[in-house]
Amino acid sequence: MTLREGSLEAPTRHPLDWKSADFYDGAKLDKELERVFDICHGCRRCVNLCTAFPTLFDLVDASPTLEVDGVSKADYGKVVDQCYLCDMCYMTKCPYVPPHAWNVDFPHLMLRAKAVRFRKAGAAFRDKLLTSTDALGRLATIPVVVQFVNAANKTGVVRGLMEKTLGVHRDRILPEYARERFRAGARANAAFPARDGKSTPGKVAVFSTCYGNYNEPGLGHDLLALLEHNEVPYVLVEKEACCGMPKLELGDLEAVARNKDANIPVLARLARAGHAILTPVPSCTLMFKQELPLMFPGDADVKAVAEALFDPFEYLVLRHKDGLLKTDFKRPLGKVSYHVPCHLRVQNMGQKTRELLEMIPDTRVTTVERCAGHDGTWGVKAEYFENSMKIGRPVFRQIAEPGPDYVSSDCAIAGRHILQGMGEAKAQKQHPLTLIRMAYGL
């Protein structure tokens, strides 16, 4: 039987069988890695996406057979280390994703390898620390402590020590911690009647996320201002833990399950009460929309939450299509270089942020749809910093080319990474939510 090169059907993903014994069987994992690596070696379309594929192909080209069977299985981990689960190979390049008979899901195979490694050997202190976002945030935002942490993160001597002891690269610009957490200052607003649209619930629940709560609470306040301006009643999720994405990327799936158990019951009640659930961070939205449903395919609460989750711009553009969004923009933004982050692209909903930005009069939006190379914690680490900057160079160049007034990305970390990569620039970094609030004159 002859197999065509690619599927004509829409890509699909299989549930993650992470509770089975076979999932953690080292020999079976190596067999599957060899099978998929052999397909990737024969194709090589993904060579320019990140450093995982060049690492694999260099290992093959240096092997005695010039094939995958000549690569030591002990070296497979070198490929796994370079993958930060952006999903772009699956979404944009690979012609062999399910339902193709070859069934290649490279990111989830890398996730499996990370999970096997974590179960066998755990993780370094640094990696556990960086992915404990709630614990870090609670500690770092204590009054007085927050000033010390922010100052230390900008001090050369301290950063040199951090690199030696923790493995956090001294040159990586780190996000500051806020003096007041989002959840401490935000309040619900039920002043408006809920007006359901054809595509959108008329009331919203806001999941602030660790980053929005501890690092950039302004993102959450901007979102609330947009909802209030458009007369959408909203509540804050009464209790929340980290969405679990940092632990997923580490391969600590049991920690992901614990966070799911903390979040899903609360969110499911809101979903069943008719709320749209919004988060200001694409990775968190993706976690609830895709990763948890694949980890817990039979969980009705997880499914209810996934169906209620919206990216903020997805929600706002759908409100516009429902005739329920105000377009009384008062301030033009000039030239905006907008980066579409990977975890937004994976949601497969089109470029809703760009659509809304382009509604603003006298605003020119240049869109860059390519991985910037940071990831949540990957680009912070000393051993991956240079690669993260290398992956981002085409993005830095394309973002800078129009001479923008604003550099923007739905992923606040990617936006900071891009601005660092651009070097000296007159452009301001502003999140798209902030730009829309500015355009409204709020």
Side-chain angles (χ1 to χ4, degrees):
M1 178 175 122
T2 302
L3 290 175
R4 62 174 179 263
E5 182 174 349
S7 294
L8 298 178
E9 298 85 1
T12 186
R13 290 195 115 147
H14 302 307
L16 200 66
D17 191 24
W18 66 283
K19 293 185 179 181
S20 74
D22 284 351
F23 187 86
Y24 297 96
D25 186 293
K28 291 179 179 178
L29 171 63
D30 282 345
K31 184 177 180 181
E32 180 64 3
L33 286 167
E34 183 173 7
R35 182 188 78 86
V36 170
F37 285 173
D38 192 51
I39 293 170
C40 294
H41 160 54
C43 176
R44 299 204 173 200
R45 291 188 184 190
C46 293
V47 67
N48 66 336
L49 285 183
C50 64
T51 49
F53 296 98
T55 298
L56 170 62
F57 304 147
D58 285 349
L59 288 169
V60 173
D61 293 344
S63 75
T65 66
L66 297 178
E67 299 290 348
V68 172
D69 63 7
V71 176
S72 168
K73 289 179 172 55
D75 286 334
Y76 287 180
K78 295 178 181 178
V79 181
V80 177
D81 287 340
Q82 297 297 324
C83 177
Y84 42 85
L85 305 179
C86 74
D87 264 8
M88 283 301 98
C89 55
Y90 186 94
M91 289 298 298
T92 68
K93 289 280 189 177
C94 183
Y96 306 120
V97 299
H100 192 279
W102 287 357
N103 190 31
V104 174
D105 187 338
F106 190 91
H108 276 182
L109 179 58
M110 297 298 101
L111 174 59
R112 179 184 173 188
K114 292 172 188 288
V116 170
R117 176 190 292 171
F118 185 88
R119 175 168 283 194
K120 182 178 180 181
F125 173 75
R126 175 205 57 191
D127 297 340
K128 290 180 180 178
L129 181 68
L130 291 176
T131 57
S132 298
T133 50
D134 270 325
L136 268 179
R138 283 193 296 268
L139 175 62
T141 54
I142 294 172
V144 181
V145 174
V146 66
Q147 291 96 319
F148 172 78
V149 170
N150 289 335
N153 283 342
K154 296 177 182 177
T155 304
V157 173
V158 175
R159 292 301 303 274
L161 185 63
M162 286 174 64
E163 182 169 322
K164 288 180 180 178
T165 59
L166 287 178
V168 173
H169 200 283
R170 69 182 68 201
D171 294 332
R172 170 59 68 201
I173 297 175
L174 299 174
E176 291 192 355
Y177 284 96
R179 297 193 178 195
E180 182 179 70
R181 303 171 188 174
F182 170 76
R183 291 177 64 83
R187 297 292 179 268
N189 187 340
F192 307 107
R195 294 179 296 163
D196 291 340
K198 182 179 179 181
S199 309
T200 52
K203 55 186 180 181
V204 161
V206 175
F207 184 93
S208 63
T209 76
C210 300
Y211 189 86
N213 192 30
Y214 300 117
N215 297 103
E216 290 195 38
L219 302 184
H221 290 296
D222 290 340
L223 176 56
L224 299 189
L226 301 187
L227 294 172
E228 187 169 330
H229 183 68
N230 284 285
E231 300 179 358
V232 178
Y234 59 82
V235 298
L236 307 177
V237 175
E238 62 200 68
K239 178 185 176 183
E240 62 179 76
C242 175
C243 70
M245 183 63 80
K247 294 298 185 184
L248 183 87
E249 293 173 345
L250 187 61
D252 186 358
L253 301 186
E254 295 293 344
V256 173
R258 289 193 294 273
N259 285 9
K260 169 256 184 190
D261 289 342
N263 285 319
I264 290 298
V266 179
L267 294 174
R269 285 195 295 272
L270 291 164
R272 292 196 170 99
H275 291 84
I277 303 171
L278 310 185
T279 91
V281 177
S283 295
C284 304
T285 307
L286 180 67
M287 191 70 197
F288 291 115
K289 271 188 175 183
Q290 173 178 286
E291 301 300 348
L292 288 180
L294 289 172
M295 285 182 66
F296 303 93
D299 191 312
D301 283 353
V302 169
K303 182 179 180 182
V305 172
E307 291 173 350
L309 251 292
F310 290 83
D311 169 79
F313 285 89
E314 177 188 20
Y315 180 81
L316 293 172
V317 169
L318 288 174
R319 292 296 277 179
H320 181 256
K321 291 179 180 178
D322 287 339
L324 296 169
L325 185 80
K326 294 181 180 180
T327 55
D328 54 336
F329 300 113
K330 297 178 176 61
R331 175 181 171 182
L333 297 176
K335 292 188 285 186
V336 177
S337 280
Y338 165 60
H339 167 255
V340 190
C342 299
H343 283 178
L344 189 63
R345 293 171 69 186
V346 177
Q347 294 176 43
N348 211 20
M349 61 184 187
Q351 295 183 5
K352 297 297 186 287
T353 305
R354 176 188 58 78
E355 287 183 42
L356 190 51
L357 288 171
E358 288 181 342
M359 294 181 197
I360 302 167
D362 300 318
T363 298
R364 179 185 169 191
V365 182
T366 300
T367 302
V368 176
E369 197 173 14
R370 183 173 178 141
C371 181
H374 188 290
D375 181 58
T377 62
W378 190 80
V380 168
K381 299 173 184 179
E383 64 269 37
Y384 305 129
F385 173 78
E386 294 298 337
N387 276 352
S388 77
M389 300 303 288
K390 178 180 179 181
I391 293 166
R393 280 178 200 144
V395 176
F396 308 153
R397 183 178 64 250
Q398 292 170 43
I399 288 285
E401 200 168 57
D405 299 297
Y406 298 102
V407 170
S408 194
S409 175
D410 303 88
C411 175
I413 294 174
R416 181 179 293 100
H417 171 61
I418 291 167
L419 203 64
Q420 178 174 356
M422 288 171 61
E424 292 293 327
K426 67 170 187 175
Q428 297 181 47
K429 180 187 79 69
Q430 294 288 5
H431 193 276
L433 291 170
T434 309
L435 292 178
I436 298 299
R437 183 176 184 173
M438 290 165 54
Y440 274 134
L442 303 177

